[in-house]
Amino acid sequence: MYRFLLTPRWWGINVFALLAIPFCIFMGSWQLGRFEDRVDTHHQQEDRSARARVAAARPLESLLPVGQSTSGRQVSARGRYDTAHQLLVPDRTLGDKSERRGFYVLTLLRTDGGKALPVVRGWLPGDANARADRAKVPAPPRGEVTVKGALQASENEGTDGVHAGGGLPDGQLGMISAASLVNIVPYKIYDAWITLGNAPAPLRAVPPAAAEGSGLDLKAFQNLGYTGEWFVFAGFVVFMWFRLVRREAETAKDAALGILPDATPEPKRDGEDAEHHSVTASRPHGLTDAPPGT
């Protein structure tokens, strides 16, 4: 009954199933491994962040460039605030339950090395376009200062809350990055920024964000979703193979018993032809229409 499995057509189906099933399992396992790696990296980042909050601040230059291992670390820098270029970063939240909209207050620190370090001094609720809210922003300290804060990588178009399209009023910045600041100030900018842990009142400190690719973000759960999809594909291949085998076996069994349906059914007739055919078919064999009166 199952000799059809050795036919050339079924050899092709069998080879496809034997290749598709392990491929789907491999891809599902690979996506699951990606998700587990992100979970492990997330836990490591949380551990580093917890240690960074209590660790002593290190010089800025020693932790550059910013990576997953240095993001969130406490750094220190010395210089003077550029009071002429204080910027507001609109439409930002602190990530708390209230999710109130506000803005970051960013001031550039001209370091002794010549470059400027973007320093987020804190967050204020309100609208950066409203004069009353802007009036609440405290002036940066004058003279030489030493700042300490959590190191952060430059933002990009995929960062939450950024305004990558531009069109903001003067004095506002849509994305905290050296690329965004290079056209605003006439000096070099570090490809990093820091957020102060002790924000001056009425500002609230901005908590450091996890390094890109290290948190349980949407991409991590996409990996988990892809894992399920690949395993479903593997199960679907198995299901379809068994279904095709069963249907082929039933067809072969019916053929052996001679109960296959007629391959050439009689065409349907309509009108007078159909009526004449039914009448003729109902007469005894050998009788035909006779002329009237005979």
Side-chain angles (χ1 to χ4, degrees), residues 247-261:
R247 187 175 67 178
E248 191 82 6
E250 290 176 351
T251 302
K253 183 178 180 181
D254 292 344
L257 296 175
I259 58 175
L260 286 177

Side-chain angles (χ1 to χ4, degrees), residues 9 20 35 46 48 50 98 140 160 163 166 193 196 211-212 226 280:
R9 181 172 70 91
F35 174 74
E46 286 185 334
R48 283 196 297 265
S98 63
D160 292 338
H163 286 270
W193 58 283
L196 300 183
E212 186 175 0
Y226 294 151
T280 303

Side-chain angles (χ1 to χ4, degrees), residues 105-286:
V105 178
L106 183 146
T107 312
L108 295 167
L109 181 73
R110 301 289 303 273
T111 64
D112 298 336
K115 287 186 177 181
L117 174 66
V119 177
V120 173
R121 298 170 52 225
W123 174 88
L124 268 179
D127 186 0
N129 295 316
R131 180 179 299 178
D133 292 331
R134 293 199 305 268
K136 300 176 184 177
V137 177
R142 295 184 178 274
E144 195 166 22
V145 296
T146 299
V147 297
K148 297 180 181 179
L151 184 64
Q152 299 281 266
S154 291
E155 295 180 336
N156 54 58
E157 294 183 358
T159 306
D160 292 338
V162 303
H163 286 270
L168 294 174
D170 291 339
Q172 295 187 23
L173 183 69
M175 182 167 57
I176 308 174
S177 68
S180 300
L181 289 164
V182 70
N183 296 322
I184 298 177
V185 294
Y187 40 77
K188 294 182 179 180
I189 307 293
Y190 280 106
D191 191 18
W193 58 283
I194 67 171
T195 171
L196 300 183
N198 296 320
L203 300 178
R204 292 174 58 184
V206 176
E212 186 175 0
S214 65
L216 294 180
D217 52 7
L218 180 60
K219 291 183 180 180
F221 290 101
Q222 282 179 343
N223 292 133
L224 188 61
Y226 294 151
T227 299
E229 287 182 359
W230 281 112
F231 288 147
V232 168
F233 291 158
F236 180 75
V237 172
V238 174
F239 167 76
M240 289 302 300
W241 187 86
F242 276 105
R243 183 176 181 182
L244 291 174
V245 169
R246 181 180 178 183
R247 187 175 67 178
E248 191 82 6
E250 290 176 351
T251 302
K253 183 178 180 181
D254 292 344
L257 296 175
I259 58 175
L260 286 177
D262 189 4
T264 57
E266 186 177 358
K268 295 182 179 179
R269 292 180 170 85
D270 55 352
E272 295 181 357
D273 290 342
E275 181 179 357
H276 175 74
H277 174 76
S278 62
V279 172
T280 303
S282 64
R283 291 175 179 173
H285 183 67

